[in-house]
Each structure stands twice: as structure tokens, then as C-alpha cells.
Amino acid sequence: MNAKQPSLWIEDLKITPIAMGDPPLLNAAGIHAPYALRIILEMVTNRGIVGLSEIPGGEKIHRAFLKVKELLIGRDPFQLNEIRQLLSENFGNDTSDERGANPWDQRRLVHVFSALEVASLDIMGKLLDRPVVDLLGGAARESVPFAAYLFYKREGAGGTLGYGTDPAATGWAQARQAAALDPQQIVNQAQAMCNEFGFQSIKLKGGALDPTTECDSMIALQEAFGPDVPLRLDPNAIWSLETAISCGKRLEGVLEYYEDPVRGQEQMAKLSQSVSIPLATNMCTTSFADLPESIRLGSEHIILSDHHFWGGLKASMELHRICNTFGRGFSMHSNSHLGISMAAMTHLGAALPTLDYALDTHYPWQAEEVIKGGKIPIEDGAVRVPEGPGLGVEIDPDALSRLHQNYLDCGLTERDDEAEMQKIEPSWRFELVRW
Ligand code: GKR
Ligand code: MG
């Protein structure tokens, strides 16, 4: 602990769990619930400056946050090393077991630290009248490219949103509520999303239907969009090595990269011996501790960082540098999220010295927002770095209380796509390897 009394300190941490409407998107673990959970942090300082951040929600992370809250009051938000040390003392070092087998991450330390780091950077930016991107070394680009993120889905949308069943909806609003369960419907979804947002790269979430249909969808996308639009497929590690090899052979010349078709670094390394498509991951190499084995085995060509899971924006900059050093590509993973996360991802994306792949985002799937001014625009497939100091976004207090009320009312406390799927198909079970 810094012996000197800081002139700036954390006076309060307002930690608000929220739930936002989410459509019935399919993945290897089941189906999205009608609401996705997030946590919004407002870090209030003695000087009245408030820093914001947003992380994936759920009771486990919420409780972890509350556990350390009192220990953080009075600390200097500039002393992030000290804050990280304090979290390690409380949570130990996150292990890969804690990450879990799901497509998303469950680790407490990285989530909580990421929330604190981003809010602290927001405060520093506001104090210095500088955008967060400048605190990461300055902007290498003014706007950041994102990819269309397609999902197989059931009909309808999530939560109590008005966009779920509007028969008069057209364009993206219509596609967002339509079913997408075969290759043609995936092409329709892609066209609606790309027309609305101008995306120039396309990712399909796989692992939901049988692999032949998923490969057919990728081929249909290439036929519809032509060979110059980069395409990716992500089965979330639910395919056997054999399936991944035969699908990979079909998809050579179709995919820009093949994301987590198989589980674990060893399987990924074996796959890369048999298939000539770059492999990407947000599942087998997910922390700095995984890097030595990743390099030894050659488990992937591209690491999909996520500042919520890698411990913040600066850690993601460090990861980018390591990727560069070892000849790995770097891009970004996402989960269902709102505008504070979008702003943080965009500042990071703008600061990266090189950016070879459009970043993932679920943002078009969410109709609600927690920031003033509504959704951050995506134009020509890219997001401009928000203007103004810090993250450049402000909380809309009414929206925050509405989304918090959703959380209290919806009864969901953890993301559980398997349980959600069992409401539709009671015998459905998550499997580590399904096909
Ligand atoms: O939103 O269903 C989803 C995704 O499957 C998400 O949970 C994953 O974490 O987008 C992610 C991925 O790239 O694996
Ligand atoms: Mg993935």
C-alpha cells in the first residue's frame, strides 16, 4: 500500500447488476436466455469524477465484487498494481478450471480487475481531459472495424422488448426476430446485418447444428458475398478432431480463420498439422499462464483477446505485443454487451499498433442501452472512437434503473444456456464433444 495519503481516492463503488433483452441465439452450450446479465460499475471519487465500466454479470462475479468492495474504498485509482495485488490476495490466481468448459469465462479476478481498471482509466482520462485511447499510447486509427456476428436462432427476441414479434418489422429489425436454422436463413441474416451496419467481415457461431449444415452455411455465405469478404466459423470446441479435419478440408479457401473447432491446445495443435486454415481461439489460450504451452505446441495462429477476461485494456495491449513477438495474430472476442463495453473495446482497438482482423461484437443483437444518447453507431462496419475525455460515454440513470429492475424481475442469476435449452428440449445435454 502506498504510504502517502492519495489526493484522489475511491469514495464509492456502485455495482449494479443488470439484465438486457437477448434473442434466442444458439450455441454449443444451448440457447441464450431471454435476458443477458451484465454488471455496471460506477467508481465514484472524492473529486466527484466518476469512472464507468461494464463486465459480464451473474451472482458469482457480483458476489466477488461485493467481497472486495470495502477494501477498495479509500484507494487511489492510479494504483492499479496495488489493486491487482489486493484482488490476488482475495481470489488467488484464477486457474483454467475456474474458466470452465463453456464458451464464456467464469474467472473472478480477471473480471473484477478489468472492471476496476477500465473505470480507473475512465477517471484518469476525465482528469487529464484525454480519451482512454491516449492512455494506451495513442490512436493508431480513428475508427475500429467490427465483424458481423451471425447466429443460428429460434424465432423471436428476448426479454420484454418491443422488437420480438413485430410483424411490420423490416430489414435488420425483422432479421433479428426471424428464425435462422438453415444456410439460406443464415445468408438472409448476414445480408440484413451487413446492409444495416456495413460489416465487411462475417463470423458464424457454430457448434449448434450438425457440422455439414454449418459448413454448407459457410459455403452459402461465400457464394452470396464473394471471395473477398473474410469469413469465420466458431463451433466453440464441440467437434472431434476427425470432424474438424474433414470440415476444415471443405472450408479451405472459404474461411479467413477457423475458431476453436476442437477443445484444448493439444487438439488445436494437431488440427493445425492437417488443415491449411489459420486457427483462432478464445477457448484454449485464455490467459498469460497459457502462453508458454501455446507457443510450445503451436495451438493457434490468432488469439482473440477480451479485456473482460484478460484483465483489462493494458493487459490486452501487452498480449498484443506478445502475439506480435511470437508471430501470433490478435483480434477480439465478445459476449452480449452494451455501450460501455463497446466504448472500451473501441478505445483498445484504436490503440493497437496493428489490427489485421475485424473485431467480434454482439452489439447489433442488443436493442437496449445503458448510456446516454442510445446505441453507439456502427457505420461501414466500424465504430469511431467516442469523443470526449475517458471512455467518452455517460450513464443514462433511467436506463440503468430500468435494466436493474429487469435483473430483479427476470429471476436469472447466472448465464446457463443448457438450462435454457432444456426448457425447450428437456433431454438436451451439453457435451464436451458432440460431433
Ligand atoms: O454468445 O453464444 C454466445 C457465444 O457463444 C459466446 O458466449 C462466446 O463466448 O462469442 C463467444 C465466442 O467467440 O466463443
Ligand atoms: Mg469463440
Side-chain angles (χ1 to χ4, degrees), residues 56-57 60-61 94-111 282-283 285-287 290 304 306 308-311 333-335 414-415:
K60 181 179 166 192
I61 304 293
D94 286 327
T95 64
S96 53
D97 282 354
E98 278 180 87
R99 187 202 171 278
N102 277 315
W104 58 93
D105 203 304
Q106 304 276 297
R107 291 170 295 174
R108 294 172 302 169
L109 190 146
V110 282
H111 277 83
N282 63 281
M283 292 186 74
T285 301
T286 61
S287 69
D290 291 336
L304 305 172
D306 182 324
H308 310 92
F309 303 155
W310 280 83
H333 159 269
S334 80
N335 270 304
E414 290 297 345
R415 177 173 176 182

Side-chain angles (χ1 to χ4, degrees), residues 26-27 32 103-104 149 151 203 205 234 236 259 282-283 333-336 360 362 415 417:
L26 294 163
N27 63 32
H32 285 208
W104 58 93
Y149 197 160
F151 280 82
K203 162 172 170 168
K205 170 59 55 185
D234 176 11
N236 276 129
E259 182 175 332
N282 63 281
M283 292 186 74
H333 159 269
S334 80
N335 270 304
S336 310
D360 283 3
H362 286 56
R415 177 173 176 182
D417 295 11

Side-chain angles (χ1 to χ4, degrees), residues 18-41:
I18 61 166
M20 66 213 176
D22 202 25
L25 307 178
L26 294 163
N27 63 32
I31 188 164
H32 285 208
Y35 292 93
L37 308 180
R38 305 290 284 179
I39 293 171
I40 304 298
L41 172 65

Side-chain angles (χ1 to χ4, degrees), residues 41-115:
L41 172 65
E42 295 164 272
M43 183 186 273
V44 183
T45 59
N46 60 316
R47 295 210 213 154
I49 298 171
V50 180
L52 302 178
S53 60
E54 172 191 337
I55 54 168
E59 269 308 295
K60 181 179 166 192
I61 304 293
H62 187 211
R63 271 199 309 272
F65 225 147
L66 294 178
K67 181 177 172 201
V68 291
K69 176 178 165 167
E70 288 312 318
L71 301 173
L72 293 161
I73 307 293
R75 307 255 165 185
D76 177 350
F78 277 80
Q79 300 306 317
L80 285 164
N81 294 333
E82 178 188 293
I83 289 176
R84 195 181 166 99
Q85 178 58 31
L86 193 135
L87 298 191
S88 300
E89 283 160 17
N90 273 272
F91 302 137
N93 282 320
D94 286 327
T95 64
S96 53
D97 282 354
E98 278 180 87
R99 187 202 171 278
N102 277 315
W104 58 93
D105 203 304
Q106 304 276 297
R107 291 170 295 174
R108 294 172 302 169
L109 190 146
V110 282
H111 277 83
V112 175
F113 184 71
S114 152

